[in-house]
Amino acid sequence: MRRSEVLAEESIVCLQKALNHLREIWELIGIPEDQRLQRTEVVKKHIKDLLDMMIAEEESLKERLIKSISICQKELNTLCSELHVEPFQEEGETTILQLEKDLRTQVELMRKQKKERKQELKLLQEQDQELCEILCMPHYDIDSTSVPSLEELSQFRQHVATMRETKASRREEFVNIKRQIILCMEELDHTPDTSFERDVVCEDEDAFCLSLENIATLQKLLRQLEMRKSQNEAVCEGLRAQIRELWDRLQIPAEEREAVATVMTGSKAKVRKALQLEVDRLEELKMQNMKKVIEAIRVELAQYWDQCFYSQEQRQAFAPYYAEDYTENLLQLHDAEIVRLRNYYEVHKELFEGVQKWEESWRLFLEFERKASDPSRFTNRGGNLLKEEKQRAKLQKTLPKLEEELKAQIEMWEQEHSKAFVVNGQKFMEYVMEQWEMHRLEKERAKQERQLKNKKQTETEMLYGSAPRTPNKRRGLAPNTPGKVRKLNTTTMSNATANSSIRPVFGGTVYRSPVSRLPPSGSKPVITSTCSGKKTPRAGRHGANKENLELNGSILSEGSVPL
């Protein structure tokens, strides 16, 4: 049943009650019947008009509600489409009035969401525009006329956050590079002369465009300044080296050098200018002391010749070294030669140091070899002999290994440079083999000399008898008894002669025996054939020497030597 019908029925019931009540009142007050009927009709008409008006209003309200519902549904559908959400669905059955209210509430909510999204989009676009202007990047591509979805807003927020990080990173890089550029400019005494340099150094940091192109240009400017700084430092260091070299060549006193000590560090323009003035002053002084300078260069040349293992022919090839006409041209020739030698040594420094190491090891090896053949080394104290033996054993292992390493390095160098690496005018390995051969020949010669010396010593001992080890202690120990002398003359002469022919095994000091003197009778001693040449114990030798002493006394007293 419609609401208007319900209202009509309720109105009729109320009207009937009101008429009944009015009739009772009219009857009480005595209103005539005809007037009561007339008044009843009037009341009915008014009530009917009122009911018609109420029904019309209700119908109008119904129409408005239906129209509002239609409008709200259309707008709600549009908002759902713009906001990219599901369409609104009313749950369960409801009245027109409640439906209209729910739809209107939902529309207001959707309108609010749309407004918030549009406001956030506008704010993000403003931030994006600001960041893009600073970073010189294109704007974020998004439709500003439509309502962004939640996903689009999230991506936009992420983009803006990334832009902020990029800005912070580039700004930090810009600040660091700017600081280095300012330091380099101060070091070079350079003032900004281009618009870009002025923008970097003089303008506000926030106004600088942090584009990739500007950052790249900034890095390029820093590299150029650093290169100029490095070149300036190299020039200043070269000037300092030239000053030190001229100081040494001209033998400038220390107090005069200290006056220039303030410009011996740093590489600013004023320092470079002061260094150049000092070089010019020293060059002029060098021209005034030409002979002294050339002689100093010749000393340095000789040092490089030694370090480069130049042969005598190579040294004599530089004829200006021996000239005595000290002119500027001669100085230039010496300067060019010292530069060439310096570069030559630097290029081959590793090889020359290896050869020098071999030379030192070789000299040490020869020293150990010499000491090994020296008998006096057994009298040392303090453990030096053991230490030397360990060093000698170690050197015998390391020296061939060093030669192999140098051989491999030299072969590689010769392949790269397509020429031979020479030391003292010959190939290094030939030089090494020659040293070993000379060492071998020297050992052979020493061995032959020892053999010849031993042979001569043996012949001398066979001729004159052996020398006692300690003649001062043994001289005159035996009594000069004639009977014992006669006995020795017949039985022990051959033994004494044989013992006297044995030479010391380890090469000790030889003392001459008293029997080496000719007898008073002038008769020549005869070499006996009983010399066995065998080694006898040291105690036996001492005994034989003792008997020889006794025999010598008897021979000298009798004045003859038995045959």
Side-chain angles (χ1 to χ4, degrees):
M1 184 179 293
R2 292 185 302 176
R3 184 181 179 190
S4 59
E5 294 176 352
V6 173
L7 290 174
E9 290 180 356
E10 292 177 353
S11 299
I12 291 172
V13 172
C14 291
L15 178 61
Q16 189 63 38
K17 290 180 179 181
L19 287 175
N20 292 332
H21 187 63
L22 284 174
R23 286 191 184 99
E24 291 177 356
I25 295 173
W26 289 338
E27 187 177 355
L28 290 175
I29 63 176
I31 295 176
E33 183 67 23
D34 54 346
Q35 291 183 0
R36 281 186 282 177
L37 291 174
Q38 186 180 2
R39 290 185 180 185
T40 301
E41 292 298 327
V42 172
V43 171
K44 286 182 178 181
K45 183 180 179 183
H46 283 296
I47 292 174
K48 185 174 182 282
D49 293 339
L50 180 61
L51 288 174
D52 291 340
M53 185 178 64
M54 291 177 62
I55 292 172
E57 289 179 356
E58 288 294 328
E59 290 294 335
S60 175
L61 177 61
K62 177 182 175 182
E63 291 177 0
R64 289 198 306 270
L65 289 174
I66 293 172
K67 185 177 181 181
S68 176
I69 289 172
S70 176
I71 294 173
C72 288
Q73 284 179 341
K74 290 181 181 180
E75 185 176 0
L76 190 60
N77 291 333
T78 304
L79 290 172
C80 289
S81 176
E82 290 178 346
L83 297 175
H84 305 282
V85 296
E86 295 294 331
F88 175 76
Q89 298 290 338
E90 183 70 23
E91 297 179 358
E93 295 183 0
T94 181
T95 61
I96 296 177
L97 185 61
Q98 184 64 37
L99 178 60
E100 191 272 342
K101 180 180 179 182
D102 293 341
L103 290 174
R104 193 160 23 87
T105 303
Q106 191 67 25
V107 167
E108 291 177 357
L109 179 62
M110 290 290 185
R111 287 174 180 173
K112 183 178 180 182
Q113 291 183 5
K114 178 180 178 180
K115 182 179 180 181
E116 289 175 351
R117 292 191 188 183
K118 295 287 284 185
Q119 288 178 347
E120 185 177 3
L121 176 62
K122 183 179 180 181
L123 179 62
L124 290 173
Q125 286 178 331
E126 291 175 355
Q127 295 175 358
D128 179 67
Q129 182 177 1
E130 180 183 356
L131 291 170
C132 289
E133 289 177 356
I134 295 175
L135 300 176
C136 294
M137 295 177 65
H139 297 287
Y140 185 75
D141 187 14
I142 190 171
D143 187 7
S144 59
T145 59
S146 63
V147 180
S149 64
L150 294 176
E151 183 179 359
E152 289 175 341
L153 287 176
S154 177
Q155 293 177 355
F156 201 176
R157 285 193 295 268
Q158 183 64 34
H159 170 74
V160 172
T162 304
M163 295 277 283
R164 287 198 187 97
E165 294 177 357
T166 304
K167 174 187 175 183
S169 175
R170 291 187 187 179
R171 180 176 175 80
E172 182 180 1
E173 185 177 5
F174 164 68
V175 171
N176 291 334
I177 296 177
K178 176 181 178 180
R179 182 172 61 253
Q180 298 179 47
I181 287 175
I182 293 175
L183 292 176
C184 289
M185 288 184 174
E186 291 177 352
E187 186 74 18
L188 296 171
D189 288 339
H190 174 77
T191 55
D193 52 4
T194 65
S195 60
F196 182 79
E197 292 179 1
R198 286 191 291 270
D199 290 341
V200 173
V201 178
C202 305
E203 297 297 331
D204 186 14
E205 293 180 356
D206 296 331
F208 185 79
C209 180
L210 300 175
S211 64
L212 291 175
E213 183 180 359
N214 282 355
I215 295 296
T217 307
L218 204 63
Q219 293 172 345
K220 182 179 179 181
L221 175 60
L222 178 60
R223 287 194 298 269
Q224 292 175 350
L225 292 173
E226 287 179 341
M227 185 179 298
R228 286 177 56 188
K229 180 182 176 182
S230 299
Q231 293 174 351
N232 201 44
E233 290 175 350
V235 170
C236 290
E237 192 59 35
L239 291 173
R240 292 188 188 97
Q242 191 175 355
I243 288 173
R244 295 188 190 98
E245 183 179 357
L246 290 171
W247 278 349
D248 295 337
R249 289 181 179 178
L250 297 173
Q251 298 180 0
I252 301 298
E255 56 272 11
E256 189 174 342
R257 300 185 185 190
E258 291 176 358
V260 195
T262 55
V263 296
M264 294 306 286
T265 56
S267 58
K268 291 186 176 182
K270 59 181 181 180
V271 173
R272 178 176 176 177
K273 184 178 180 180
L275 290 173
Q276 188 63 53
L277 291 175
E278 178 66 11
V279 169
D280 295 341
R281 185 185 72 84
L282 293 173
E283 286 289 343
E284 184 178 355
L285 189 61
K286 181 180 72 173
M287 299 303 296
Q288 299 173 1
N289 297 270
M290 192 70 66
K291 180 178 179 180
K292 186 178 180 181
V293 173
I294 292 177
E295 288 177 349
I297 297 177
R298 286 175 176 175
V299 172
E300 188 175 358
L301 275 176
Q303 293 175 353
Y304 274 110
W305 284 343
D306 294 338
Q307 291 178 347
C308 297
F309 300 95
Y310 263 37
S311 63
Q312 191 62 32
E313 291 78 8
Q314 289 175 302
R315 302 183 186 210
Q316 292 176 351
F318 183 62
Y321 183 84
Y322 307 96
E324 296 182 356
D325 185 12
Y326 301 100
T327 61
E328 183 178 356
N329 185 33
L330 184 65
L331 178 60
Q332 292 176 355
L333 293 175
H334 279 73
D335 284 334
E337 181 65 13
I338 199 69
V339 170
R340 186 190 69 81
L341 269 178
R342 204 176 280 141
N343 295 333
Y344 178 74
Y345 177 76
E346 289 298 327
V347 172
H348 308 81
K349 185 177 181 179
E350 184 177 357
L351 288 180
F352 286 137
E353 288 178 350
V355 173
Q356 183 66 31
K357 183 178 179 181
W358 182 88
E359 286 277 359
E360 295 173 357
S361 301
W362 178 251
R363 284 195 293 269
L364 188 60
F365 172 75
L366 294 180
E367 181 67 18
F368 286 146
E369 288 286 307
R370 183 188 64 78
K371 291 182 178 180
S373 61
D374 187 4
S376 63
R377 71 192 184 109
F378 294 103
T379 62
N380 80 90
R381 295 293 184 268
N384 291 334
L385 180 60
L386 179 60
K387 182 178 179 182
E388 290 179 1
E389 284 299 323
K390 288 182 178 179
Q391 293 178 348
R392 183 168 175 262
K394 180 180 179 181
L395 195 59
Q396 286 177 340
K397 295 180 180 178
T398 58
L399 195 59
K401 183 178 180 181
L402 179 60
E403 292 174 1
E404 290 297 326
E405 292 177 354
L406 283 174
K407 181 180 178 182
Q409 293 178 0
I410 290 173
E411 289 178 353
M412 185 181 299
W413 183 92
E414 289 178 344
Q415 291 177 0
E416 292 177 356
H417 295 79
S418 301
K419 62 179 181 179
F421 181 81
V422 295
V423 173
N424 293 331
Q426 63 182 138
K427 290 186 176 181
F428 175 71
M429 296 312 299
E430 294 179 358
Y431 172 74
V432 171
M433 297 303 297
E434 180 180 314
Q435 295 298 314
W436 279 107
E437 182 64 19
M438 291 174 61
H439 174 61
R440 186 187 66 79
L441 294 176
E442 180 65 22
K443 290 180 68 174
E444 288 292 335
R445 184 188 63 79
K447 181 179 178 181
Q448 293 177 1
E449 288 182 355
R450 288 196 304 270
Q451 290 178 351
L452 182 60
K453 181 179 179 181
N454 292 339
K455 182 178 179 182
K456 290 181 179 180
Q457 183 178 358
T458 301
E459 292 175 354
T460 302
E461 290 177 351
M462 291 176 66
L463 181 63
Y464 298 107
S466 62
R469 289 291 180 181
T470 55
N472 292 334
K473 295 181 179 179
R474 298 175 181 269
R475 189 182 303 275
L477 294 178
N480 192 1
T481 307
K484 192 172 183 179
V485 171
R486 283 194 299 271
K487 183 178 180 181
L488 289 172
N489 285 338
T490 59
T491 61
T492 63
M493 188 62 186
S494 62
N495 292 334
T497 305
N499 291 332
S500 66
S501 65
I502 300 174
R503 61 183 176 84
V505 178
F506 295 102
T509 304
V510 179
Y511 297 93
R512 294 297 179 183
S513 173
V515 300
S516 62
R517 293 180 290 124
L518 293 175
S521 61
S523 60
K524 296 181 180 180
V526 180
I527 300 175
T528 62
S529 60
T530 59
C531 179
S532 62
K534 298 180 179 180
K535 295 181 181 180
T536 58
R538 190 173 298 274
R541 294 180 62 185
H542 290 325
N545 289 334
K546 182 177 180 180
E547 294 177 356
N548 287 339
L549 288 174
E550 297 173 354
L551 178 61
N552 289 338
S554 173
I555 291 174
L556 290 176
S557 62
E558 294 180 359
S560 63
V561 178
L563 297 175

